[in-house]
Amino acid sequence: MSAFTPASEVILRHSDEFIERRVLFAGDLQDDLPAQLETAHSKVHTQQYHHWQTLSRAMGENAQYSLVASAEMVSDCDTLIYYWPKNKPEALFQLQNLLSLLPVGSDIFVIGENRSGVRSAEEMVSKWAALNKIDSARRCGLYHGRLDINPEFNAENFWGEYALDDFTIKTLPGVFSRDGLDIGSDLLLSTFTAHTKGKVLDVGCGAGVLSTLLASHSPKVRLWLTDVSAAAIEASKATLAANQLEGEVFASNVYSDVSGRFDMIISNPPFHDGMQTSLDAAQTLIRGAAKHLNMGGELRIVANAFLPYPAILDETFGSHEVLAQTGRFKVYRAVLSRAAKAKR
């Protein structure tokens, strides 16, 4: 998070507006503008752990990572700058949470790329504030209004679930595969065999689908699940509990908070960060795997077939194999050998 995004560049066009304001930044924060914009006071709430890691280094306790913003974090702010995410239900969850806590009369600024559907913000918050478009630049729209009434917010109302085989998958807005099993994860699951043993790390766990299905036919596995999304962390915890499974679930930016070694690392890694294409997480996942695998341990991931992961797998492990593939996806397996470890 160094260069400013187009959305932040639009905010900077109005920088004089915020000098004397107590600003809460929230939503799909992709850079460190909250730490740099001149204001009377700035705070950040984010559901993304990797964004919090960067912002907390500069802002300390004024940056908060959690599923739900706290009243203490929000109540002394008089302005919200909300970065619209690509997921509309996620935006509703976050905005309803934040607007339920902000003082009536607070100014609301919503900024987002046009392709993300930011124009939906006007209708979404119309019961609580009248938003009007005040700027359009860098393929982004900036909307402004004042909070007329606090909405009621109850996070429990946003939970969803679906059945997968004989299991219950619990979900929240913004969680990957919220409405059902995605094709890539289904292909990866097809490669699992019964009676897998040992320690398994599920990176980018989402709603906990991979771990739940793996444990269903391999009860001797021990599970660790990580994700950057606070919503995914809570969904995975709920999914394990709903299916009477045990596992340690915690926030981590790939391996940032992971310790120890594992017998298997599994993942359906993302190749987007918000609206932007990014292979950083997947590349970090592959290159760092050797430091977190036991000898003979394996990394097993599914990815879009066009992504350049085979070369990185071979560079890291010396070789790889394709366990399954369709026209769109491939499941890759790479095993940590002594030769590969010696290269590290």
Side-chain angles (χ1 to χ4, degrees):
M1 288 206 280
S2 54
F4 291 135
T5 63
S8 286
E9 289 178 352
V10 175
I11 293 294
L12 284 170
R13 287 158 57 100
H14 301 263
S15 57
D16 290 347
E17 180 74 37
F18 305 106
I19 292 175
E20 298 182 0
R21 295 178 179 273
R22 300 179 64 84
V23 180
L24 174 68
F25 293 84
D28 189 25
L29 301 162
Q30 296 286 330
D31 57 34
D32 63 353
L33 180 69
Q36 303 211 30
L37 188 67
E38 184 180 355
T39 67
H41 191 63
S42 292
K43 291 185 175 182
V44 166
H45 177 263
T46 178
Q47 292 183 349
Q48 298 297 316
Y49 189 67
H50 56 316
H51 297 165
W52 172 83
Q53 284 179 312
T54 298
L55 291 165
S56 64
R57 285 194 286 268
M59 302 178 69
E61 293 183 355
N62 288 322
Q64 181 185 77
Y65 164 77
S66 59
L67 174 64
V68 175
S70 66
E72 181 183 5
M73 165 65 65
V74 175
S75 61
D76 64 343
C77 295
D78 58 27
T79 301
L80 171 66
I81 298 179
Y82 182 77
Y83 285 70
W84 187 264
K86 65 179 180 180
N87 184 285
K88 188 174 179 180
E90 180 181 9
L92 179 60
F93 180 100
Q94 294 173 355
L95 281 169
Q96 197 163 333
N97 171 210
L98 297 167
L99 298 182
S100 73
L101 301 173
L102 279 166
V104 169
S106 296
D107 282 276
I108 304 166
F109 294 85
V110 178
I111 180 67
E113 294 188 35
N114 295 326
R115 61 177 175 153
S116 71
V118 66
R119 60 180 61 87
S120 300
E122 290 181 276
E123 180 180 357
M124 180 178 289
V125 305
S126 60
K127 295 179 182 178
W128 317 306
L131 295 183
N132 295 293
K133 193 172 190 178
I134 61 170
D135 200 358
S136 181
R138 305 284 289 159
R139 298 180 179 175
C140 295
L142 176 63
Y143 297 79
H144 170 259
R146 285 189 174 85
L147 183 61
D148 296 320
I149 185 172
N150 295 114
E152 293 185 3
F153 174 76
N154 184 349
E156 295 300 317
N157 295 336
F158 288 85
W159 279 97
E161 65 179 53
Y162 61 89
L164 185 61
D165 295 338
D166 295 325
F167 301 95
T168 299
I169 308 302
K170 306 288 284 186
T171 66
L172 280 167
V175 176
F176 183 64
S177 292
R178 177 177 179 240
D179 299 318
L181 184 64
D182 65 287
I183 298 172
S185 293
D186 190 33
L187 186 65
L188 177 56
L189 286 169
S190 74
T191 69
F192 290 153
T193 56
H195 311 304
T196 299
K197 299 179 181 179
K199 297 171 62 178
V200 176
L201 176 66
D202 183 351
V203 178
C205 56
V209 175
L210 296 180
S211 289
T212 296
L213 270 292
L214 175 62
S216 69
H217 55 63
S218 297
K220 292 186 177 182
V221 297
R222 289 172 288 160
L223 299 172
W224 282 257
L225 295 79
T226 75
D227 206 295
V228 294
S229 164
I233 295 299
E234 295 306 317
S236 282
K237 289 178 179 178
T239 295
L240 292 182
N243 297 288
Q244 293 79 53
L245 296 172
E246 294 184 358
E248 184 175 342
V249 187
F250 59 98
S252 182
N253 182 8
V254 193
Y255 301 116
S256 68
D257 291 63
V258 173
S259 59
R261 292 180 178 270
F262 300 85
D263 300 297
M264 179 183 285
I265 298 173
I266 59 176
S267 185
N268 181 352
F271 64 98
H272 288 95
D273 191 357
M275 292 296 298
Q276 311 305 317
T277 299
S278 175
L279 304 182
D280 292 348
Q283 292 178 354
T284 301
L285 171 73
I286 296 170
R287 292 196 168 103
K291 295 180 180 178
H292 293 281
L293 283 171
N294 291 319
M295 186 59 58
E298 68 169 271
L299 171 69
R300 190 177 301 195
I301 64 173
V302 63
N304 288 70
F306 67 86
L307 295 173
Y309 297 153
I312 305 172
L313 287 163
D314 289 344
E315 177 186 328
T316 304
F317 289 92
S319 64
H320 75 277
E321 60 180 311
V322 176
L323 296 180
Q325 62 182 318
T326 65
R328 289 182 57 197
F329 296 98
K330 290 184 178 180
V331 176
Y332 299 104
R333 177 178 183 264
V335 177
L336 182 63
S337 64
R338 296 193 181 278
K341 186 176 181 180
K343 290 169 56 181
R344 309 310 298 166

